[in-house]
Amino acid sequence: MDAATPRSRTEISGGAHTPRKHDSAHKHVTGSADYIDDMAEPAGTLHGYLGLAERAHARITAVDLDPVRAAPGVVAVLTAADVPGSLDISSNGSGDEPMFATETALFHGQPVFAVIAETRELARRAAKKAVIGYEDLPHVTDVRAAMEAEYPLVTEPLKLERGDIEAGLAAAPRRLQGEMRIGGQDHFYLEGHIAFAIPGEDDEVTVWSSTQHPSEVQHIVAHALGTVSNAVTVQVRRMGGGFGGKETQSNQFAVIAAIAAKKLNRPVKIRPDRDDDMIITGKRHDFVVDYDIGFDDSGVIHAVDASFAARCGFSSDLSGPVTDRALFHADNCYFYKDVRLVSKPMMTNTVSNTAFRGFGGPQGMLGGERMIEEIAYALGRDPLEIRKANFYGQGDDPEGRNLTPYHQKVEDNIIARIVEDLEASSNYQARRAEIIDFNENSPVIRRGIALTPVKFGISFTATWYNQAGALVHIYQDGSIHLNHGGTEMGQGLNTKVAQVLAEEFQVDLDTIRITATTTGKVPNTSATAASSGTDLNGMAAANAAQQIKTRLVAFASEKFNIPEDQVAFEPNHVRVGNELLPFGDFIKLAYQARIQLSAAGFYKTPDIHWNRATGKGRPFYYFAYGAAVSEVSIDTLTGEYQVDRVDVLHDAGKSLNPALDIGQIEGAFVQGMGWLTTEELWWDNKGRLRTHAPSTYKIPLASDRPKIFNVTLAEWAENRKPTIRRSKAVGEPPFMLPISVLEALGMAVASIADYQVSPQLDAPATPERVLMAVERLKAMVSEAYMSGEDGADA
């Protein structure tokens, strides 16, 4: 409902399933939203900066920091020797990620020391004065090169297997093999990494951190200080973007700030420049996918044998679960009768890669879609036909075509309807026919169109993370205070959880205030990741509200001598028998009767389990679905292209907030489009990241967005699982919709050879890669013409 629309007495403003603006939207636009660097600094605040290794792989033979200590304004220089507790900052406790490099540098840009100075600029300048000696060692930065050099895996690989893969491949009427390279991606959040530590009494310290995982920062800081978690309080009001990059990568900055603050007994802030932020922190994993597919003449897949090798960097970080999730999504919407999927989390001499929106799922799904594309071009068919032929069955499929490679049944499959509706609403078939006609008569500009589906599993595969807490207070005047374990990074989590609470108490949204996430109020929080923020924290908040409501109903029943079923929460009122009391007045009465008006809520996701050793289980509570049609135009002389039109139909269940959900879909699409088209990470032969600033790393601009961009929610959809108000997660699933852009570019390229040759575009499909693919197909056509082969007239 529009804010200006008159509201009846029987409605509340801003309950669940209504479009409401982000609670801080006006602050974001006006610049009044407070981030950590906007906080007033206490007197005596110091600033930190990191000194970085300048070799990709080398023994550190000497470190002279005296010039750093002598630099103007320097108060202290921290090295590994200054860490009072554990030097390990690994998120998984593996011990493979030291806070500072000591004997060996494992990637170019690895922190070796930290400077603490009176100003940030003085610290930054001083850090450059260190004199470090190195003995160079061989290094690799590429996934394939790491495999060829027999580099170790950073963690145990995973294998998903079902059926008899050798027999399935041998019996298939057709078979093909191939490779796809999938690039990484920098998070490029608007607010870079930052931490601000304020020392307290005894061993206590408060850390303001730009992190998606406050409890992990709390534990890592405590371990580094050699103390326990209750001595450390971590606070997060908001982040200027996260996208997974602040799930584990915030640890290092928080730890250094906290150690310096306690050592010097002064507040300490640390914030790297954008260049150093990009060099120091992990990114989306690059992948190399090798596949062997067996299929028949109708395009039905019989068997898939594929390996997914990833550039993980120098330590394990989250590479295990990221590469696991890649395998979980290599099937996307398709049933593989006989299947073997294997991960290869390769160590490389690069920064340790980490979580990024989709958490490996996009790479796995893209590999699966490449296989579909290969089959389509091998058979001379529309890839959409191949997709439909391989969709999972629905419900209790009599042919058993509903079992994933990890042995979970797909019980909520709605992809066929999603695709059917989108195919009709986007006029896909007529547009494809028109594009084929256009390409026949256009010597330079070629167009392409593709419709790709998405099936994305929702839940942390680490089962213990599927829990959340919330703390709800109602004050005497009826105003409500909410604190939960999720973190706000611009995605609108706080708004959605507040809407849940407004619905529970039947009060207007502006009755509720959400404060900064803090480990001092809600302990043992899970990371705000895996698209589970609203699912988990919304349910926890609802649970707290229900506890309070139960007490209030019992109070009203006793005070007014009526049955409990005659007490009801109505819009901004409580009905007690025939009397309607304003909510605030009713709460005042409850307070005076000494009714507890506070509750700690809790929720854990049911019906999930996972056995990694056997590769079997039910790792996901449910699946979210969606599909997109993308149309593109390419210039075959330059490789440049534009996205002409995109149509999206997405499943958000019964959306809690359609406005926020559509915004998430639009943002995810553009970000995913950047990953697949323009955002290229490049290391030189010395192991230095050269794409470390906006001048060398190209995220999508406003001008790159689709010229026509139609995004619709599947209004008929409703989560079959009892999630919060039957909604579905919407953070990560839409990120994979722009696979349709990559495949549309592929169709435009394939038109050069009359759609008879797979374009085999690697990601990102930069204009250079598009041009090289065009030239490759032109050469093939020319060769075929000279030899007089069929199809030479293409």
Side-chain angles (χ1 to χ4, degrees):
M1 176 183 295
D2 187 275
T5 305
R7 189 164 45 85
S8 75
R9 187 175 172 180
T10 59
E11 297 174 332
I12 61 170
S13 173
H17 310 305
T18 59
R20 300 290 295 185
K21 70 176 184 180
H22 189 291
D23 71 309
S24 295
H26 62 290
K27 298 178 185 178
H28 296 161
V29 172
T30 60
S32 62
D34 283 339
Y35 296 90
I36 293 173
D37 218 22
D38 298 312
M39 293 170 54
E41 296 176 1
T45 294
L46 298 172
H47 298 264
Y49 212 82
L50 293 173
L52 310 180
E54 295 183 346
R55 297 291 190 279
H57 191 201
R59 292 188 185 92
I60 297 175
T61 58
V63 179
D64 182 3
L65 299 179
D66 287 342
V68 181
R69 294 186 179 96
V74 172
V75 177
V77 177
L78 303 181
T79 66
D82 297 291
V83 180
S86 172
L87 188 63
D88 178 43
I89 57 169
S90 60
S91 61
N92 53 22
S94 61
D96 64 354
E97 190 170 350
M99 187 186 317
F100 295 121
T102 52
E103 298 176 355
T104 307
L106 291 172
F107 75 94
H108 191 286
Q110 184 174 10
V112 179
F113 63 92
V115 185
I116 311 299
E118 295 291 348
T119 70
R120 181 174 173 278
E121 183 61 22
L122 290 173
R124 179 174 173 272
R125 291 181 179 277
K128 303 295 184 184
K129 297 181 179 294
V131 180
I132 303 176
Y134 302 97
E135 180 187 332
D136 288 331
L137 299 169
H139 71 270
V140 298
T141 59
D142 177 71
V143 184
R144 186 67 78 189
M147 290 190 282
E148 292 171 353
E150 298 184 347
Y151 259 50
L153 304 179
V154 297
T155 187
E156 280 293 313
L158 175 67
K159 180 169 71 172
L160 302 180
E161 192 166 14
R162 198 192 63 247
D164 188 332
I165 185 63
E166 280 78 15
L169 286 171
R174 288 174 173 261
R175 188 170 173 177
L176 59 81
Q177 296 84 31
E179 171 198 290
M180 183 180 194
R181 286 179 172 262
I182 302 170
Q185 186 179 22
D186 190 87
H187 301 85
F188 217 91
Y189 20 66
L190 288 176
E191 178 201 35
H193 280 281
I194 184 170
F196 190 15
I198 302 176
E201 294 181 338
D202 303 321
D203 58 349
E204 294 177 356
V205 63
T206 298
V207 181
W208 290 87
S209 174
S210 187
T211 177
Q212 296 171 234
H213 202 171
S215 284
E216 182 175 292
V217 170
Q218 177 191 32
H219 300 325
I220 298 291
V221 167
H223 293 161
L225 290 174
T227 186
V228 290
S229 292
N230 66 9
V232 180
T233 300
V234 176
Q235 307 219 51
V236 184
R237 172 61 184 96
R238 62 170 60 84
M239 287 167 277
F243 311 118
K246 296 176 179 177
E247 186 171 344
T248 63
Q249 302 287 293
S250 306
N251 296 346
Q252 183 156 33
F253 304 98
V255 164
I256 291 169
I259 290 174
K262 293 303 290 182
K263 180 182 178 71
L264 302 170
N265 198 32
R266 291 172 67 176
V268 175
K269 182 192 293 186
I270 182 168
R271 174 177 63 81
D273 285 350
R274 174 68 69 178
D275 296 72
D276 284 350
D277 190 309
M278 292 181 74
I279 291 169
I280 296 166
T281 61
K283 316 183 184 313
R284 182 183 294 283
H285 293 66
D286 300 65
F287 271 68
V288 173
V289 184
D290 292 295
Y291 49 87
D292 189 348
I293 322 164
F295 58 100
D296 60 29
D297 291 339
S298 61
V300 173
I301 295 171
H302 289 216
V304 170
D305 188 8
S307 69
F308 292 75
R311 171 161 55 202
C312 297
F314 79 101
S315 70
S316 55
D317 194 74
L318 293 170
S319 292
V322 165
T323 51
D324 286 2
R325 191 173 277 256
L327 299 194
F328 287 136
H329 290 85
D331 60 327
N332 195 10
C333 299
Y334 315 117
F335 174 72
Y336 302 152
K337 182 181 178 183
D338 297 303
V339 58
R340 179 171 59 208
L341 306 172
V342 180
S343 69
K344 294 180 180 178
M346 301 302 303
M347 178 185 178
T348 52
N349 295 118
T350 55
V351 64
S352 190
N353 282 329
T354 191
F356 200 130
R357 198 174 195 168
F359 206 79
Q363 295 96 312
M365 194 176 294
L366 184 55
E369 291 298 337
R370 163 55 62 85
M371 298 180 216
I372 293 286
E373 186 182 57
E374 289 270 47
I375 293 170
Y377 284 105
L379 296 174
R381 305 266 294 280
D382 179 354
L384 181 57
E385 296 177 37
I386 310 303
R387 293 189 167 93
K388 291 178 178 179
N390 287 286
F391 280 163
Y392 276 108
Q394 299 184 33
D396 292 324
D397 187 88
E399 298 181 13
R401 293 178 56 84
N402 59 0
L403 198 64
T404 65
Y406 43 95
H407 297 258
Q408 176 173 340
K409 281 190 174 181
V410 181
E411 300 168 325
D412 58 359
N413 188 8
I414 59 171
I415 195 59
R417 181 173 176 185
I418 290 275
V419 168
E420 180 183 357
D421 286 2
L422 181 61
E423 185 179 0
S425 64
S426 67
N427 204 22
Y428 168 82
Q429 294 296 350
R431 287 167 60 197
R432 188 172 193 274
E434 187 271 327
I435 286 170
I436 291 173
D437 288 343
F438 173 89
N439 288 342
E440 286 183 0
N441 301 295
S442 178
V444 175
I445 303 300
R446 295 295 177 97
R447 292 161 58 194
I449 189 170
L451 192 162
T452 60
V454 167
K455 172 181 71 65
F456 193 80
I458 304 299
S459 289
F460 286 98
T461 50
T463 306
W464 56 90
Y465 278 146
N466 294 287
Q467 60 175 303
L471 184 62
V472 174
H473 306 314
I474 305 182
Y475 295 103
Q476 296 179 47
D477 61 357
S479 62
I480 299 171
H481 174 114
L482 168 64
N483 194 277
H484 59 79
T487 55
E488 176 63 55
M489 61 194 92
Q491 82 278 40
L493 173 62
N494 283 348
T495 302
K496 283 189 172 183
V497 178
Q499 286 181 276
V500 168
L501 212 57
E503 189 79 13
E504 285 288 342
F505 287 115
Q506 284 294 293
V507 296
D508 291 340
L509 188 60
D510 59 12
T511 304
I512 298 162
R513 184 180 301 274
I514 300 182
T515 56
T517 304
T518 171
T519 56
K521 287 187 177 181
V522 178
N524 307 316
T525 61
S526 296
T528 304
S531 302
S532 297
T534 302
D535 281 8
L536 295 174
N537 294 287
M539 286 294 244
N543 175 258
Q546 289 155 11
Q547 294 177 48
I548 298 172
K549 286 167 65 178
T550 298
R551 298 180 202 136
L552 291 173
V553 168
F555 152 70
S557 173
E558 180 180 355
K559 178 174 178 63
F560 293 95
N561 194 28
I562 57 172
E564 289 190 358
D565 62 7
Q566 292 186 21
V567 181
F569 289 80
E570 298 187 5
N572 296 305
H573 293 78
V574 178
R575 183 172 294 281
V576 182
N578 293 323
E579 190 173 357
L580 197 62
L581 300 175
F583 183 78
D585 294 350
F586 177 77
I587 294 299
K588 184 73 171 181
L589 292 175
Y591 164 74
Q592 291 171 344
R594 298 182 295 176
I595 302 302
Q596 183 183 358
L597 297 174
S598 177
F602 181 77
Y603 174 75
K604 62 179 181 180
T605 309
D607 303 330
I608 51 174
H609 56 89
W610 169 241
N611 186 325
R612 192 176 187 274
T614 63
K616 296 180 180 180
R618 184 187 178 88
F620 303 121
Y621 189 38
Y622 64 87
F623 296 99
Y625 298 88
V629 175
S630 293
E631 182 180 332
V632 303
S633 300
I634 70 170
D635 185 326
T636 59
L637 300 181
T638 66
E640 293 179 293
Y641 50 78
Q642 66 180 25
V643 181
D644 300 312
R645 175 177 168 181
V646 168
D647 295 83
V648 169
L649 180 61
H650 196 76
D651 160 37
K654 195 172 182 183
S655 172
L656 280 175
N657 186 321
L660 288 182
D661 285 349
I662 287 175
Q664 282 291 287
I665 294 166
E666 292 172 340
F669 193 97
V670 172
Q671 188 178 48
M673 194 174 73
W675 166 54
L676 294 172
T677 59
T678 65
E679 297 182 44
E680 186 173 27
L681 298 169
W682 189 74
W683 282 261
D684 66 15
N685 58 12
K686 293 185 178 181
R688 299 176 296 185
L689 178 68
R690 307 304 284 178
T691 49
H692 54 77
S695 58
T696 53
Y697 184 80
K698 188 183 186 304
I699 64 171
L701 306 175
S703 57
D704 294 319
R705 70 181 292 279
K707 307 308 176 204
I708 301 172
F709 199 6
N710 302 316
V711 176
T712 306
L713 298 179
E715 294 184 356
W716 47 265
E718 181 175 281
N719 200 337
R720 298 179 189 177
K721 293 291 185 180
T723 54
I724 189 69
R725 299 291 187 269
R726 300 285 178 173
S727 64
K728 284 190 178 183
V730 77
E732 292 172 304
F735 183 89
M736 284 139 282
L737 294 170
I739 291 175
S740 56
V741 172
L742 182 66
E743 295 226 354
L745 289 171
M747 178 188 172
V749 170
S751 69
I752 301 297
D754 200 25
Y755 316 101
Q756 296 181 32
V757 180
S758 175
Q760 295 184 327
L761 280 175
D762 287 339
T766 59
E768 294 87 348
R769 281 203 176 98
V770 170
L771 181 59
M772 286 189 288
V774 167
E775 293 300 321
R776 177 174 61 86
L777 264 62
K778 283 182 178 179
M780 292 176 66
V781 169
S782 177
E783 183 179 348
Y785 179 81
M786 294 298 292
S787 62
E789 293 178 9
D790 291 342
D793 59 347

